[in-house]
Amino acid sequence: MSTITESVNVTVPIRVAYDQWTQFEDFPRFMEGVEEIRQVDDTTLHWTVRVAGVTRRFEARVTEQLPDERVAWTSTEGPAHAGVVTFHRLDDDTTRVTAQMEFDPEGFVEKAGDRAGALHRRVKDDLRRFKTFIESRGVQTGGWRGKVDRPGS
């Protein structure tokens, strides 16, 4: 299992950054290789991604969602991965967005890419594209302010 942690400061209020991140179906607009995300219900997401020329489909479940604080998920089928994105108010108009992910690369190409740092670069680049996306808009495309409690909470 590999772990990636990357951060980016975005020049928007925390509510704007958080609300945009809850718009999972917009992820293909700034995440490389993400072809589609379909949100089935408040906690179930169907992903279609293309990595190293291979299309993969998997399901993930939002395990925790606290407005303006964090969104956490885990895969329920397909490649094993989990993660959390946290939002930290730096001032009224600046938010630090931190992504921490754990994943288990499958196959030779993914394992080689992981060793070469390709997945770390992809996460870093995705966060940079998120910054460009949200700062150029200045407002979120939507938002979901509901709460998903961590299991056992």
Side-chain angles (χ1 to χ4, degrees):
M1 190 71 75
S2 293
T3 300
I4 298 171
T5 302
E6 292 291 344
S7 295
V8 67
N9 293 345
V10 295
T11 309
V12 297
I14 195 167
R15 183 179 183 120
V16 173
Y18 173 85
D19 283 356
Q20 184 59 58
W21 200 270
T22 66
Q23 300 306 291
F24 304 113
E25 293 178 352
D26 283 338
F27 281 12
R29 296 171 79 174
F30 56 85
M31 286 188 172
E32 183 182 347
V34 176
E35 294 184 347
E36 178 186 36
I37 298 177
R38 188 168 40 88
Q39 187 161 1
V40 177
D41 57 35
D42 288 347
T43 61
T44 307
L45 307 168
H46 288 289
W47 289 64
T48 302
V49 298
R50 189 162 181 81
V51 178
V54 177
T55 298
R56 297 221 168 133
R57 291 173 178 77
F58 61 90
E59 188 170 288
R61 179 174 48 85
V62 175
T63 56
E64 184 179 20
Q65 196 163 327
L66 299 171
D68 300 335
E69 291 183 31
R70 63 193 295 120
V71 177
W73 71 92
T74 189
S75 60
T76 57
E77 63 178 46
H81 69 278
V84 61
V85 175
T86 56
F87 303 85
H88 308 274
R89 179 187 177 280
L90 300 180
D91 62 39
D92 288 347
D93 297 314
T94 309
T95 304
R96 177 165 295 144
V97 179
T98 301
Q100 181 177 1
M101 293 182 262
E102 292 183 347
F103 65 97
D104 194 7
E106 293 182 341
F108 175 77
V109 172
E110 285 184 18
K111 288 177 183 176
D114 180 34
R115 284 191 297 279
L119 296 171
H120 282 80
R121 282 189 301 280
R122 178 172 279 185
V123 172
K124 185 175 191 163
D125 291 346
D126 286 346
L127 285 175
R128 197 175 65 242
R129 282 188 293 274
F130 174 75
K131 172 184 177 64
T132 300
F133 176 77
I134 193 61
E135 287 180 355
S136 68
R137 292 184 52 81
V139 297
Q140 61 273 45
T141 61
W144 187 71
R145 306 296 296 174
K147 184 177 175 186
V148 176
D149 289 322
R150 181 176 34 198
S153 295

